C-alpha cells in the first residue's frame, strides 16, 4: 500500500500519450494486430482507449480490482474468444506486482478447460502496460513503454487521471 514517505513519480498527459505511442510502435514492429482491446479498470482504460482509437478496433472493459476492493469480473465470452484464437490485447497502466494479470491468466481457462491454453498467452492474447515493474512476479508482458524496478527503488506512480484536480 502507499507510503507517504515513498518517492512519487508524476506522469503527465503528454507522458501517457508518448508511452502509448511507444506501445503502438512495438505492436506495429511485431506484425500482430488485435481483434479488440481490453482495458482493465481503472488504470488501463485510458491507454486502451487510445490504442483502440488508433488501431480502429473495438474496446472492451474488464474489472480486475485486487488492490482497492478485491472485485473481479469473470468474462466468459472474452475467455472463449481467446481460446478460439481471437487476437486480444489486454492493457493496463502498470504491471506492478503482477497479481492482476496473473488473475486473468488463471480465471479465463477456468470455464474453458477444453481448450489448449498453452498456445494462448503471448500468442493471440497479449499484454501491454505503460510501465512494467521488472520486480513483478508476472513476466509475460509483450509490450511496455517504460521499465522500472521497484525492488531497487520503491516508488509510487501517479497518472494524470489519478490527481487531475490538484
Amino acid at each position: 500500500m502507499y507510503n507517504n514517505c515513498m518517492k512519487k513519480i508524476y506522469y503527465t498527459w503528454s507522458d501517457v500519450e508518448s508511452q502509448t505511442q511507444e506501445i503502438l510502435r512495438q505492436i506495429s514492429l511485431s506484425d500482430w494486430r488485435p481483434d479488440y482491446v481490453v482495458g482493465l479498470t481503472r488504470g488501463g482504460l485510458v491507454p486502451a482507449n487510445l490504442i483502440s482509437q488508433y488501431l480502429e478496433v473495438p474496446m472492451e472493459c474488464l474489472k480486475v480490482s485486487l488492490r482497492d476492493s478485491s472485485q473481479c469480473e469473470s468474462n466468459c465470452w472474452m475467455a472463449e474468444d481467446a481460446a478460439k484464437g481471437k487476437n486480444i490485447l489486454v492493457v493496463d497502466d502498470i504491471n506492478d506486482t503482477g497479481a492482476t494479470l496473473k488473475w486473468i491468466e488463471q480465471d479465463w481457462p477456468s470455464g474453458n478447460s477444453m481448450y489448449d491454453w498453452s498456445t494462448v498467452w503471448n500468442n493471440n492474447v497479449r499484454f501491454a502496460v505503460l510501465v512494467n515493474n521488472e520486480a513483478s512476479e508476472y513476466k509475460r508482458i509483450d509490450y511496455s513503454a517504460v521499465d522500472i524496478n521497484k525492488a531497487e527503488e520503491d516508488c509510487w506512480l501517479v497518472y494524470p487521471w489519478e490527481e487531475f484536480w490538484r
Side-chain angles (χ1 to χ4, degrees):
M1 196 46 96
Y2 173 70
N3 178 341
N4 285 332
C5 299
M6 187 182 300
K7 175 183 173 183
K8 282 186 174 183
I9 298 173
Y10 289 88
Y11 286 119
T12 65
W13 287 110
S14 180
D15 293 331
V16 171
E17 290 171 7
S18 296
Q19 291 168 3
T20 303
Q21 288 171 343
E22 172 57 23
I23 289 169
L24 286 164
R25 185 188 73 77
Q26 292 173 23
I27 291 169
S28 176
L29 290 173
S30 72
D31 201 30
W32 180 86
R33 184 175 175 84
D35 294 309
Y36 61 90
V37 176
V38 175
L40 300 182
T41 62
R42 296 180 303 181
L45 295 180
V46 170
N49 184 38
L50 295 173
I51 292 168
S52 166
Q53 297 285 347
Y54 183 85
L55 295 177
E56 297 180 337
V57 297
M59 180 187 140
E60 302 293 339
C61 300
L62 180 61
K63 183 176 187 173
V64 183
S65 180
L66 301 174
R67 185 190 70 183
D68 295 332
S69 59
S70 293
Q71 294 180 342
C72 304
E73 294 176 352
S74 186
N75 285 62
C76 297
W77 66 269
M78 283 182 198
E80 190 169 328
D81 279 355
K84 289 181 175 178
K86 280 222 177 202
N87 287 345
I88 302 170
L89 180 66
V90 178
V91 180
D92 207 357
D93 55 353
I94 183 171
N95 171 30
D96 195 6
T97 65
T100 300
L101 302 178
K102 190 182 285 186
W103 183 88
I104 293 168
E105 201 170 275
Q106 292 170 348
D107 177 68
W108 284 14
S110 64
N112 296 280
S113 58
M114 67 185 121
Y115 298 103
D116 179 11
W117 284 89
S118 67
T119 63
V120 171
W121 310 117
N122 306 106
N123 185 19
N124 61 297
V125 175
R126 297 190 181 182
F127 297 96
V129 293
L130 298 180
V131 178
N132 183 40
N133 176 15
E134 294 172 342
S136 168
E137 292 181 22
Y138 193 83
K139 304 298 183 194
R140 292 186 193 233
I141 301 301
D142 297 285
Y143 311 106
S144 67
V146 176
D147 291 325
I148 61 171
N149 190 329
K150 286 188 164 191
E152 292 176 2
E153 182 180 14
D154 202 10
C155 57
W156 187 261
L157 306 180
V158 182
Y159 296 94
W161 52 83
E162 294 176 321
E163 292 188 9
F164 74 93
W165 56 89
R166 294 190 183 171

